[in-house]
Structures are given as C-alpha cells and as structure tokens.
Amino acid sequence: MRIRIVGAGAMGRGIAQWAASAGHTVELADVRAEAVTDAVGFVASMLERAVAKGRMSAADRDASLARLVPLADPWAAGPDVELVIEAVREDLETKAEVFGKLERALPSSAVFATNTSSLSVTRIAATLQDPSRLAGLHFFNPVPLMRIVEVVPGAATRPEIPAALTALVEGCGHRAVTVADSPGFLVNHAGRGLVTEALALLEESVAGPAAIDRIARDVLGLRMGPFELMDLTGLDVTAAVIDSIWQGFRYEDRLRPSYLTPNRVVAGLHGRKTGRGWYAYGEGAGGPAPEPAVTGDGDRPVFLAPGGSAESAPYADALAGSLEAAGVRVERGEGPSAKALVLVPVWGTTVSGAVRSGGLPPGRTLGVEVLPAAGRRRVLAVTAATGPAEARDARAVLA
C-alpha cells in the first residue's frame, strides 16, 4: 500500500517508521521541509538501533529506508496514494484545512485517517465534501512500541473503511480496537483519571512530580508515572486532550483541566521534545532525585483502627495479615498502647475523621491506602499533628 503521512513530528515519524518497516511505501510530508529531513534522519537512527540490538537485519533496514519517500509538498498530486494519515497538531481548524487541501489533490479513492487524540472524527469529516471517506486511526507514542491503535468510525464513515484499517493495523503487527467517536475515545478517556488527579495532587501541594511518579510506578505497577508520561507525549498535546475531553463531556467537574498546564505550554515546557517539561532532559540534565533511604524505628508496634465502612473490613484484615506476615507486631484490643503507631485504612473515611470519631491520638495516627489488586501498601496521608519521627517510623514499619 502507498501511504501518505502529513505531519512529520513525533507521531508522524513514528507512524512512518512503523508502516515502512511493515513493507508499505510511505510518503512523509510536512509544511516545514526541515521537519521532514529531521524525521527521515530520526527513522534512520531508530532502524540502525534495531539492527545494533539484533531486532532487524541490515538488509531489512535498507529496504525500509528505501520505502520512505520524503515529499517537498504535502499537497502534491498522488494518483497511487491509497491512504492518508494526518498527524498534525490537535486543532480542528488545522486538521480541516489539511484534509480540504488533500481532498483537492488526491483521488477520491484515497481513504483519509486522522490521528486525533480526542477531537470528534465526525466533526473533522463534516468539513469535507465527502465525509464518508474519513475515519480516526489513533496511534500512541512511541508508535513502534505501543502496539495498540484505536480505529474510530465517524457518523458518516463508510462501513468498509474500519474493517480495512483494522486489517492494515493488524497486518503491520499491532492490535486494532474499534471504539466509539466519543471524547477521548477509549484510552485517553480512561487515562484522564491518572493525569487529571496527578495534576490535582500537585495543585494542592500533596507531593511533587517525582514523588507522584514514584508512587504510580511502585504501587500501581505502571512503567511510567503520569508526569513522565506527559513529558514523553508532550504537555502541549496533553493539555489539548484534557481541554477537549472536558468540553466534550459538557464541562463535567471531575474532568476539570488543571490551571498548571496552560502557562507551562506557553512557556514551551513541553517535555522531552523541548528539552524541559516536568523534568529536564539533554546533556547535563540530572534525573529525579532518588527516594530517601527509609529510616526510623521499624520495630514499633502498630494498632489498626477500624475502617470507615463495612466494605473496607476485608482490606483492613488483609493489611493486618500482611503486616503480621512481615514480622510487624499488630496490636489487638480496644485501643492502642502508648507507643503504637495508629494506622487508619482510608477507604470510606479520612484520617482526621477517624481521629475525631475514635478518640485516636492525632500525633501518631496515619492513614494507609490498601491496594489489594497490586498486592502492595503505601502510606498516603498523615494528620497535621503527626510528628516527623512518627512519619519516619511508619515508613520503616511499612517498608
């Protein structure tokens, strides 16, 4: 298949590498000629790395590069182009302009696909003379490694197009999932919980980006924390997706965008591609500071306070069993001893609420979140009166 990719940024170059490596002829175009040159060089370096790691032969590398055709003009005639994949910035007017020009330049048989992260595929298609030829084909960064692609039919998309796009994606070794044309589709809608809540925690000074990322990796088992992920995908892209999903769901409060993102976008703190985002990148940039060593008295006993609801009881029991299995002395009875740390499972209650209702000692009462699905535990909250020694001892006990 002959595929034209318009937009040679991070996503466009990744899609180009993926398609060319799978045997397709790929025309790569951008309104900036230097972007195409940079993209071709990037793809060449990625394929060279694959050869060095033994994942690709030198002959396959050369053949893939031969199938990558840089275009000087995105709107050049292309009688043999069968599919166009648009990968320009996340803006409805920009995408409509791109497809309008392509519609005049390419044959009516060419299928149009947009790599939009969250915009309505139906609204983009409605700007065309023939809206039935367009569907969503949403890749994830980095494209060669993220082996899932969302196929998004619009309201007017011809029924044979999603099946054809699915066959293309799976023929290139990725998995295709057909999803509804709703704000954020499937993956970005589900991911809003992680990113939106991480930004809310930062707004409220609960913890910094490095600590939130570390907890997301250690407790949730994620390969990257939310701030690391935003730096990888680009905060400019993330901010646009957050706004689009919020607007699409009629400004629902749980999806409210953070006030932290607009100024950072304007300042150019987009992440890896600009050299600085939530973290600094490039030569001389140090990574996040390592987690401080666990200190304190790990032999202090703990008293597990009753949870705030019947539903939390199984999780509290599981925590008690886990602590005892690790050698922690768990106190039983009506109340804690004078030395014991008091742990409050925060399912269904708050630490301050438990202190008030149970008459617990505020200076040594801490909240603990129980995550049985991950099989781990982590102290997430302390009362205002808890001293630093108690906090250190809690970390030592739970480490």
Side-chain angles (χ1 to χ4, degrees):
M1 178 181 289
R2 192 174 189 90
I3 302 171
R4 178 175 298 184
I5 298 172
V6 179
M11 294 304 300
R13 62 182 59 175
I15 299 169
Q17 178 185 336
W18 167 80
S21 298
H24 298 285
T25 300
V26 179
E27 299 178 352
L28 185 57
D30 197 287
V31 292
R32 296 186 306 112
E34 63 272 20
V36 177
T37 301
D38 291 345
V40 171
F42 176 83
V43 171
S45 69
M46 291 297 100
L47 296 180
E48 186 62 42
R49 180 182 299 182
V51 171
K53 292 185 176 181
R55 296 199 299 260
M56 174 180 277
S57 68
D60 287 343
R61 173 204 58 201
D62 294 342
S64 297
L65 287 174
R67 289 190 290 267
L68 187 58
V69 181
L71 284 188
D73 180 10
W75 331 120
D80 298 326
V81 172
E82 299 171 71
L83 172 67
V84 176
I85 302 176
E86 164 271 312
V88 303
R89 67 188 183 95
E90 194 74 348
D91 175 76
L92 179 62
E93 292 184 3
T94 301
K95 292 180 185 294
E97 180 183 0
V98 166
F99 282 119
K101 292 180 178 179
L102 290 169
E103 195 171 31
R104 293 188 290 271
L106 299 178
S108 59
S109 58
V111 172
F112 289 172
T114 173
N115 185 52
T116 180
S117 303
S118 61
L119 296 175
S120 166
V121 171
T122 300
R123 290 188 64 188
I124 297 172
T127 65
L128 297 174
Q129 294 180 10
D130 178 12
S132 71
R133 70 192 299 187
L134 185 139
L137 194 62
H138 182 213
F139 295 82
F140 297 87
N141 190 28
V143 175
L145 300 181
M146 297 293 284
R147 295 181 176 274
I148 187 164
V149 183
E150 293 177 316
V151 176
V152 192
T157 303
R158 294 196 299 268
E160 67 272 16
I161 289 179
L165 293 177
T166 296
L168 168 69
V169 168
E170 296 186 346
C172 293
H174 278 27
R175 181 178 180 182
V177 180
T178 301
V179 299
D181 185 16
S182 61
F185 311 135
L186 174 60
V187 175
N188 271 326
H189 186 190
R192 285 319 88 202
L194 179 67
V195 170
T196 302
E197 290 303 317
L199 289 166
L201 289 171
L202 186 60
E203 284 182 11
E204 297 165 10
S205 301
V206 173
I212 295 171
D213 280 346
R214 185 175 64 244
I215 291 171
R217 292 193 306 269
D218 293 351
V219 179
L220 302 180
L222 301 176
R223 295 185 63 181
M224 302 182 73
F227 294 97
E228 293 170 312
L229 181 61
M230 282 187 272
D231 273 2
L232 176 64
T233 59
L235 187 60
D236 54 334
V237 175
T238 298
V241 170
I242 290 173
D243 286 348
S244 177
I245 293 176
W246 185 53
Q247 293 162 9
F249 282 102
R250 301 297 189 267
Y251 306 100
E252 188 168 334
D253 189 57
R254 68 185 177 87
L255 298 171
R256 176 187 63 83
S258 171
Y259 67 77
L260 295 173
T261 55
N263 283 349
R264 298 184 72 87
V265 171
V266 171
L269 304 177
H270 297 174
R272 291 177 179 269
K273 61 187 176 184
T274 60
R276 185 180 169 198
W278 299 107
Y279 304 102
Y281 300 91
E283 187 176 351
E291 184 175 9
V294 175
T295 59
D297 182 5
D299 295 325
R300 285 184 70 169
V302 301
F303 175 80
L304 201 59
S309 65
E311 290 80 3
S312 68
Y315 303 110
D317 292 341
L319 175 60
S322 178
L323 290 171
E324 289 177 326
V328 177
R329 182 154 54 94
V330 179
E331 294 184 351
R332 311 284 181 174
E334 295 295 322
S337 66
K339 186 181 179 182
L341 295 168
V342 181
L343 301 183
V344 177
V346 290
W347 285 58
T349 187
T350 62
V351 179
S352 58
V355 167
R356 184 171 56 253
S357 63
L360 302 174
R364 49 194 173 98
T365 299
L366 304 96
V368 59
E369 179 87 53
V370 186
L371 298 173
R376 305 175 184 180
R377 56 191 182 273
R378 170 78 63 164
V379 172
L380 295 181
V382 297
T383 60
T386 301
E390 284 72 20
R392 287 195 299 270
D393 290 349
R395 286 192 68 213
V397 169
L398 294 169

